[in-house]
Amino acid sequence: QVQLVESGGGLVQAGGSLRLSCVASGRAASGRTFSNYAMGWFRQAPGKERDFVATFNWSGGDTYYADSVKGRFTISRDNAKNTVSLQMNSLKPEDTAVYYCAKDKVWRRSVRTPESEYDYWGQGTQVTVSS
């Protein structure tokens, strides 16, 4: 089983910053390390569908961002700590949501991961941006 635990959410004023972290534990598959899987961040605002925020491929060489967060959010990973982070700057009230991290189910996928292909999700961390 794989566990993903997010942290770092909270209440912040517009223009502020937060850094979210997602720690992965457990066995990915056949002992494969998490560093060989793409990871992504998604968010869900009240009454809305879950939206893609950011992801990178397994090597971290290619990153993808939603247009709404480009230039403000940065996704990164620390393979030694099995951690994926999301640095969020210049936060806006519309960034308010529960943020989730997720793991790709395919080992070393070379292209961007479709949302339907994430097999494990964290419990989410609340981010609230006040105006």
Side-chain angles (χ1 to χ4, degrees):
Q1 275 291 350
V2 171
Q3 294 83 38
L4 302 176
V5 179
E6 302 97 335
S7 62
L11 173 64
V12 64
Q13 287 190 332
S17 298
L18 283 174
R19 185 177 181 85
L20 306 184
S21 294
C22 170
V23 179
S25 61
R27 292 188 60 182
S30 302
R32 289 171 169 169
T33 60
F34 288 104
S35 62
N36 290 296
Y37 292 87
M39 300 289 290
W41 284 96
F42 296 81
R43 66 187 182 187
Q44 187 167 21
K48 295 187 177 182
E49 294 186 351
R50 185 175 64 202
D51 287 332
F52 162 76
V53 175
T55 188
F56 42 33
N57 67 345
W58 74 270
S59 68
D62 295 318
T63 56
Y64 307 92
Y65 296 93
D67 288 342
S68 59
V69 306
K70 275 181 185 176
R72 300 187 298 122
F73 290 12
T74 303
I75 188 172
S76 62
R77 73 192 304 166
D78 182 339
N79 290 330
K81 298 180 179 179
N82 284 342
T83 299
V84 178
S85 298
L86 185 70
Q87 178 66 42
M88 306 186 297
N89 298 328
S90 302
L91 282 161
K92 304 175 181 180
E94 51 263 44
D95 294 319
T96 295
V98 178
Y99 284 70
Y100 301 90
C101 69
K103 169 194 156 293
D104 190 349
K105 69 180 182 182
V106 174
W107 185 74
R108 291 193 175 185
R109 187 192 303 268
S110 60
V111 296
R112 176 176 171 176
T113 307
E115 185 171 344
S116 61
E117 293 286 292
Y118 289 90
D119 58 352
Y120 287 97
W121 296 77
Q123 83 291 346
T125 185
Q126 176 70 48
V127 171
T128 303
V129 184
S130 63
S131 56

